[in-house]
Structure formats: C-alpha cells, structure tokens
C-alpha cells in the first residue's frame, strides 16, 4: 500500500475530574466506552456514514447518531467506505483503525486494500465503539447535514455553526436562502424562519413533508403554516402599534427589514453560544435566547416584546410562558444553563 500521510483520525472521548466531557481530534484509535452514546441500544451493530464537512466524513455505529439525524440514515450507503480505495491516505487511516481494533491481528506486512476495507467494515458492523473520521471524496456522496460531536451526550449531531456563506446571504438580503441553510442543519428556529420567507406555501409544504418527522415534531403543514401566519400577523400588529403607516407594499418591505434584523441577531447569538458553550449543545439556542434576540431586533423598529409569539403574555414572566407553551414551537430547544441574558 506504500507510505502515505494519514488522512483521517478518530474522535476520542475524554473526561476531566468534574465529569465535564470534551472531545479532541487525535491521531490514534481508542474505542468509546460502552454506553457512552445516548440510545446505544438502538439498532446496534450497524455502521453509518455521515459527512463532517465539505471534504471529510464519519464512520461509526448507528447508536452514535442523535435521533434527529436518524431519518437520513437509511439514505446512507455502507458502500461509501469503498471510496477509500481511491485514496491512499484514507486507506492508511483504515489500516491503523483495523490494526488497533481487530483481535485477529494477523495482517501481512503489506495487506491488500480490499482486505483492509473488508475488516474495517466487519469491525464497524460488529459494534466497535469508535468514530472514525476520514478525509476524502466520499463526503460528497453523504446525504443529510454536516455533523459535529456533541460533548454532553457523546452523539453526532448536526453542525449548527454559522458559515461565512450564511452571513453573506443575510448581508445580501437573501433571507430565504439563509433559513433554508439553517433548515438543512435542523436548526429549530428555521422551522418558522423558512416558513416566513419560503417562495410559496407549496415549497414550505414540501420541506415539511420531505423532512425529518422528529424535527417537525410529527406535525404537518397545516400546523406549522398556522404558526407562520400568526407570526406575520403579530409583526403587522406590532409595526402598527409602533406608529408605522404605509401601504401593503411598504409594509412587506418593512417586515423584510425586520426579518433581516432577526437573521443577523440569530447569527450573533449562535456564534456566542459556540464561544461560551451555553446550555448542553453548542450552537443550539434555548427558548430564552431566541426570545431575547427577537426582542432586540424588534426594538430597532420600536416593536414591543409581546409581539414576539413566544412572549405574548405581557404580564407573565418569560420563563413561565416557555414552560406553558414553548413546546408548541420549539420542542427541541436547548437549556438555559450558563446563559446570563442578553449582552446588549
């Protein structure tokens, strides 16, 4: 197989004394402890492939994947491993993986690539508790959103980090494309964000019907369209109370400006969530964070906080409202752990 630089690593779980898990990319292959993944009894022994980014992907057991991503797993092909045959660096990584985990350890000094591949598949399908990261062209064939390792649960989750392209979309005023990108990442706020700015009801319906049922909370188009319509009404009423007067075209343009401000705030808050690791999952906002940045964006247009649908009961504390009906629009938001409130 020759001597080649490695083009892959595994992700190894490490813990400090206060039980705070962290994950590091290391040039070694160490198995995860049994039970370190949430739901590790779910279909054990089946390996899956998920893209890590533009040019890398993860291989590992199905139970290492958060349930929000399970709907995309049947579309993943185990044959993606075969792409490693065209990449000497990836094959070197797989050889190291097999050498560290195969109890037989009866390799020739220079095993054939297909033999390495066969043993790697056997180990992964046998439930070895390892996440293998490989760099190579197979990632282009991976369906579903890019993923990250969640330190709290030890699972693979959608990568919610804000990209330069997403920032550029908002600056160019393409709010629809921004929320579509966030929708692909299973960002909870995108369910309504994309509904507000999709090209048509048919496009929104298609996104819901083709999407992950768990992400959409097993609720259909009529439910989410109803929430979207309520959001538009709330914005219109809020602008009217703030003194805005204009025709229908002018109101649509004003609502678009509010939408841009909300998208910019979403970007800021997700970045801060990554920087300070609020809650349990980096990049996943809590209902309080979402409410706070809506309030900030609305304030730019003199819209009152109670025109945001998540805090429309003015006399009731926000946290109580979240408990009463927050699950109706964000069943999968993060916790408030460590979040000190808005910085501005």
């Amino acid at each position: 197989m020759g001597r080649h630089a490695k083009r892959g690593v595994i992700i190894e779980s490490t813990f400090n004394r206060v039980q705070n898990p962290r994950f590091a990319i290391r040039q070694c292959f160490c198995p995860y402890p049994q039970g370190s993944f949430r739901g590790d009894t779910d279909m054990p022994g089946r390996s899956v492939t998920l893209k890590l980014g533009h040019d890398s992907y993860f291989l590992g057991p199905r139970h290492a994947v958060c349930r929000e991503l399970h709907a995309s797993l049947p579309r993943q092909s185990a044959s993606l491993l075969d792409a490693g045959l065209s990449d000497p660096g990836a094959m070197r990584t797989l050889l190291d993986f097999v050498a560290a985990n195969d109890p037989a350890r009866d390799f020739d000094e220079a095993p054939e690539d297909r033999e390495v591949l066969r043993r790697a598949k056997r180990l992964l399908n046998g439930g070895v508790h390892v996440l293998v990261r490989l760099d190579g062209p197979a990632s282009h064939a991976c369906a579903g959103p890019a993923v990250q390792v969640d330190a709290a649960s030890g699972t693979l989750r959608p990568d919610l980090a804000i990209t330069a392209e997403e920032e550029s979309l908002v600056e160019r005023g393409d709010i629809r494309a921004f929320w579509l990108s966030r929708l692909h990442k299973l960002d909870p706020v995108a369910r309504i964000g994309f509904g507000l700015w999709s090209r048509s009801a048919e496009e929104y319906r298609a996104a819901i019907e083709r999407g992950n049922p768990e992400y959409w909370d097993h609720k259909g188009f009529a439910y989410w369209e109803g929430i979207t319509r309520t959001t538009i009404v709330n914005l219109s009423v809020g602008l009217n109370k703030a003194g805005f007067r204009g025709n229908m075209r002018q109101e649509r343009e004003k609502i678009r400006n509010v939408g841009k401000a909300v998208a910019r705030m979403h970007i800021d808050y997700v970045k801060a969530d990554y920087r300070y690791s609020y809650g349990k999952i980096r990049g996943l906002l809590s209902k309080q964070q979402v409410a706070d940045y809506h309030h900030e964006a609305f304030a730019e247009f003199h819209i009152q906080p109670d025109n945001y649908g998540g805090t429309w009961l003015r006399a009731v504390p926000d946290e109580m409202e979240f408990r009463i009906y927050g699950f109706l629009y964000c069943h999968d938001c993060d916790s408030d752990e460590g979040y000190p409130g808005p910085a501005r």
Side-chain angles (χ1 to χ4, degrees), residues 18-280:
V18 295
Q19 302 295 310
N20 181 28
R22 63 190 189 278
F23 290 82
I25 296 176
R26 300 190 176 188
Q27 294 285 356
C28 62
F29 292 84
C30 302
Y32 275 100
Q34 176 72 31
S36 63
F37 299 120
R38 184 178 59 190
D40 63 353
T41 59
D42 182 28
M43 294 187 69
R46 177 181 174 183
S47 63
V48 297
T49 308
L50 288 163
K51 65 182 179 181
L52 172 63
H54 181 65
D55 58 357
S56 58
Y57 57 103
F58 276 126
L59 306 170
R62 181 185 174 95
H63 60 248
V65 181
C66 75
R67 295 187 182 279
E68 291 89 338
L69 289 171
H70 279 192
S72 66
L73 294 186
R75 296 192 293 272
Q76 305 293 348
S77 171
S79 66
L80 288 175
L81 262 174
D82 296 336
L85 286 170
S86 63
D87 189 322
M91 291 308 302
R92 169 54 58 184
T93 297
L94 287 177
L95 175 59
D96 288 351
F97 162 64
V98 171
N101 291 279
D102 193 336
R105 300 185 186 277
D106 56 354
F107 265 152
D108 297 331
E109 288 188 8
E112 292 291 328
D113 286 355
R114 290 194 178 278
E115 174 63 13
V116 175
L117 196 63
R118 185 186 68 80
R119 295 200 186 200
K121 289 180 178 180
R122 186 182 65 191
L123 286 168
L124 288 167
N125 289 329
V128 172
H129 294 271
V130 170
L131 294 178
V132 182
R133 168 186 161 181
L134 294 176
D135 301 318
S139 60
H140 298 294
C142 295
V147 298
Q148 64 181 343
V149 178
D150 168 36
S153 64
T155 58
L156 293 178
R157 296 191 54 83
D159 186 352
L160 294 168
I162 298 292
T163 65
E165 174 61 20
E166 287 174 339
E167 292 190 82
S168 177
L169 289 171
V170 174
E171 290 307 310
R172 298 198 306 265
D174 196 344
I175 313 173
R176 172 194 166 275
F178 169 76
W179 287 117
L180 179 59
S181 176
R182 302 305 296 175
L183 193 75
H184 290 159
K185 296 180 177 183
L186 305 185
D187 186 327
V189 186
R191 284 188 290 261
I192 298 174
F194 182 68
L196 288 170
W197 301 107
S198 56
R199 292 194 180 104
S200 65
E202 288 73 24
E203 183 182 46
Y204 191 37
R205 181 194 297 273
I208 295 170
E209 292 179 351
R210 296 172 185 169
N212 185 329
E214 289 206 19
Y215 173 69
W216 292 100
D217 200 22
H218 299 278
K219 296 180 173 69
F221 170 72
Y223 178 87
W224 292 106
E225 187 195 31
I227 292 182
T228 300
R229 288 181 180 273
T230 300
T231 302
I232 295 173
V233 171
N234 287 344
L235 272 176
S236 181
V237 171
L239 286 169
N240 186 269
K241 288 181 178 180
F244 173 77
R245 299 293 182 271
N247 57 34
M248 188 174 293
R249 182 187 63 80
Q250 291 169 328
E251 182 176 290
R252 282 200 299 266
E253 184 60 29
K254 182 64 72 171
I255 289 176
R256 173 168 288 276
N257 290 337
V258 176
K260 290 178 184 177
V262 168
R264 284 194 294 267
M265 285 291 182
H266 187 77
I267 287 173
D268 289 347
Y269 270 65
V270 171
K271 283 184 171 182
D273 198 80
Y274 265 91
R275 186 179 307 118
Y276 300 111
S277 297
Y278 300 137
K280 297 179 179 178

Side-chain angles (χ1 to χ4, degrees), residues 8-27:
V9 293
I10 67 105
I11 306 300
E12 178 191 3
S13 174
T14 59
F15 295 85
N16 62 24
R17 291 185 178 180
V18 295
Q19 302 295 310
N20 181 28
R22 63 190 189 278
F23 290 82
I25 296 176
R26 300 190 176 188
Q27 294 285 356

